[in-house]
Amino acid sequence: MTRDLLEEAYGAMRHNRRRTALTMLGMAWGIATVVILLAFGSGLERAISLMFSSWGTDVIGVFPGRTSLQAGGSKAGSEVRLKLADVDYIRNEVPMIKGVTPVFDRFGTTIQHDTRTFTNLNLTGVYPVYERIRQFPVASGRGLNQDDELEHARVAVIGDEAKRRLFSGAQALGQTIRIAGVSFQVIGVYQHKVQGGDNNDNSMVVIPFSAMGDLYDTQYITGMFMDYDGGDHQQISRVVRGVLAGHHNFRPDDRRAVFVADFKQDFDEFSIVTTALKILLAFIGALTLGIGGIGLMNIMLVSVQQRTREIGVEKALGAQKRHILFQFLAEALVITFAGGVAGVGIAYLISWAVGSLPLMSAFGENSSAGDIHLHINLTTLAAATVILSFVGILSGMIPAIRAARLDPIESLRYE
């Protein structure tokens, strides 16, 4: 019986080939829209994750500010200035901290190599642990080590943008650059990071903090970076602020006294936004696919009406309601999933033709890895299949139920 019903459904589809093909095309266009929108959402999520990974996620940054609340005998508006001693306070008094480094930035410093002179490269003095905290992998050469810090070594590790400006296409390792008139040897080049703008990590020139102290007065530091082992990142941020509040005489709830950048919290907030966007895009895609589903439902209702007498004959020969229901539902699902396969093919073709949509490359060179790539993965296909199945079953079930409920005697009389 089941085989006969499937043959009847297939015969009906072949008899109305043009109608079937157009209905499949509507479903294909709808599912292609769903897949492309979901792929866009996944590509945006990947691009944002890549940008945050360039900063590090389990990382906290601390930067000085001004008080906004009165504390003890100090009035609001007092400047908070961080010192090297604060690094030791954080290291000794905050649990879960793995490493902490001071940061001393100096902008406008003259950096030279041969006849090339720049004042817009970011000169930074740090401890060697900075490279681990901020996730600075070295592409060539080596990074800073503890001996460099202890010996006030005149060495530098540079970003790939700084290398391009200073050395163009020439070899940088082992070469000498002059920083504020003092010679430093380039010992390494960092891997490119997906960031944009002039003041980004790719244009950094990093030297030991002790060597920076030989060039400038580092009594007051620009800020600190630290990483931690798991735990509640919000609680760790509060403890960090509390420790600094105790040593600098400001209220722990004064968020303007020091700016605590919790990169994990920022990443989680952006993750919520991207997840909500993906849900919205899936909903929009489902609505688009629903238009194709309405077309399918309409065609199936027309088919039921045209085949009323045929349904009466089948029931007179012993077909049950479930058999008729199965016949028309199977026909609808075949059209749906055939259109779905074609739609996925269309989506792959569109994603290949589009390639990537500019995001980070609009803000800086060599940042195309941070663009939105329409990558169709298994998760996207699974979500699209669920939406397609729901629309197909809903669109086919209503006409199938109507066909199954037809009275056999009235059906045989239908002209």
Side-chain angles (χ1 to χ4, degrees):
M1 176 65 74
T2 301
R3 181 178 179 180
D4 294 335
L5 293 173
L6 291 175
E7 289 179 352
E8 286 286 338
Y10 177 69
M13 292 170 60
R14 290 192 59 188
H15 180 70
N16 298 284
R17 293 181 181 178
R18 181 180 300 176
R19 186 174 68 186
T20 300
L22 290 175
T23 306
M24 285 183 180
L25 180 61
M27 299 301 291
W29 185 255
I31 197 62
T33 303
V34 172
V35 173
I36 290 298
L37 289 175
L38 291 176
F40 176 84
S42 298
L44 178 62
E45 182 180 47
R46 173 189 169 276
I48 291 177
S49 297
L50 189 61
M51 284 187 285
F52 271 95
S53 67
S54 69
W55 283 93
T57 51
D58 295 336
V59 176
I60 293 176
V62 180
F63 308 95
R66 288 183 178 273
T67 60
S68 60
L69 302 173
Q70 184 175 353
S74 301
K75 62 180 181 179
S78 300
E79 184 179 6
V80 177
R81 308 184 73 177
L82 299 179
K83 297 182 178 182
L84 192 60
D86 293 311
V87 175
D88 295 325
Y89 297 148
I90 296 297
R91 182 187 293 114
N92 298 327
E93 300 178 31
V94 181
M96 307 298 291
I97 292 296
K98 291 171 58 179
V100 58
T101 176
V103 176
F104 187 91
D105 293 323
R106 190 75 179 190
F107 300 99
T109 299
T110 300
I111 301 177
Q112 301 171 299
H113 173 68
D114 288 340
T115 60
R116 294 172 179 261
T117 302
F118 297 93
T119 58
N120 59 346
L121 298 177
N122 304 334
L123 179 64
T124 301
V126 295
Y127 286 170
V129 73
Y130 176 85
E131 295 172 350
R132 187 202 72 209
I133 294 174
R134 285 289 320 282
Q135 298 184 14
F136 269 92
V138 178
S140 58
R142 68 172 180 87
L144 301 178
N145 57 38
Q146 196 60 35
D147 290 337
D148 297 328
E149 177 64 27
L150 294 175
E151 297 171 3
H152 296 228
R154 301 292 192 266
V155 294
V157 187
I158 62 177
D160 73 327
E161 177 65 18
K163 173 184 178 297
R164 185 184 66 82
R165 295 185 188 182
L166 289 167
F167 297 94
S168 187
Q171 174 69 25
L173 293 181
Q175 298 298 315
T176 298
I177 60 176
R178 294 184 65 81
I179 302 174
V182 179
S183 296
F184 282 74
Q185 183 183 31
V186 177
I187 60 172
V189 178
Y190 292 124
Q191 288 186 12
H192 177 78
K193 285 198 170 189
V194 181
Q195 294 181 350
D198 292 330
N199 297 325
N200 63 68
D201 290 341
N202 298 308
S203 61
M204 291 179 64
V205 175
V206 179
I207 64 176
F209 186 85
S210 58
M212 179 68 85
D214 296 336
L215 299 178
Y216 300 102
D217 181 5
T218 57
Q219 178 184 4
Y220 299 108
I221 60 178
T222 305
M224 296 180 287
F225 281 106
M226 62 203 75
D227 59 356
Y228 52 89
D229 282 320
D232 185 349
H233 59 94
Q234 293 180 336
Q235 177 63 22
I236 296 174
S237 297
R238 286 192 292 268
V239 174
V240 168
R241 188 186 299 277
V243 169
L244 294 175
H247 290 283
H248 289 272
N249 193 30
F250 64 85
R251 290 173 54 173
D253 58 343
D254 189 350
R255 293 184 173 274
R256 295 187 180 181
V258 291
F259 176 66
V260 179
D262 185 348
F263 295 103
K264 177 66 174 176
Q265 181 177 349
D266 294 339
F267 178 74
D268 291 343
E269 290 174 355
F270 269 95
S271 296
I272 294 173
V273 172
T274 54
T275 300
L277 179 61
K278 289 171 66 177
I279 294 174
L280 176 62
L281 292 175
F283 179 71
I284 294 173
L287 291 180
T288 305
L289 182 58
I291 297 175
I294 292 173
L296 173 62
M297 185 186 302
N298 182 56
I299 292 300
M300 293 304 299
L301 287 173
V302 172
S303 179
V304 170
Q305 185 178 9
Q306 291 178 343
R307 295 158 62 187
T308 300
R309 188 175 181 85
E310 174 188 325
I311 295 171
V313 172
E314 290 178 358
K315 286 193 171 185
L317 294 176
Q320 302 296 319
K321 286 185 177 181
R322 67 177 184 274
H323 297 137
I324 305 300
L325 181 71
F326 173 79
Q327 176 184 347
F328 283 87
L329 184 59
E331 184 176 339
L333 290 179
V334 168
I335 294 175
T336 297
F337 286 102
V341 172
V344 170
I346 293 173
Y348 271 105
L349 182 62
I350 293 175
S351 64
W352 172 78
V354 171
S356 62
L357 302 174
L359 183 62
M360 287 307 299
S361 61
F363 301 98
E365 299 179 0
N366 301 319
S367 298
S368 60
D371 288 341
I372 301 175
H373 298 266
L374 300 180
H375 179 62
I376 302 174
N377 51 33
L378 292 178
T379 303
T380 298
L381 293 178
T385 301
V386 170
I387 296 174
L388 177 67
S389 301
F390 176 77
V391 173
I393 292 174
L394 182 63
S395 301
M397 184 63 72
I398 295 177
I401 292 175
R402 180 175 178 179
R405 289 179 176 177
L406 288 176
D407 181 80
I409 297 177
E410 295 295 328
S411 300
L412 289 172
R413 291 176 179 175
Y414 184 83
E415 294 295 337

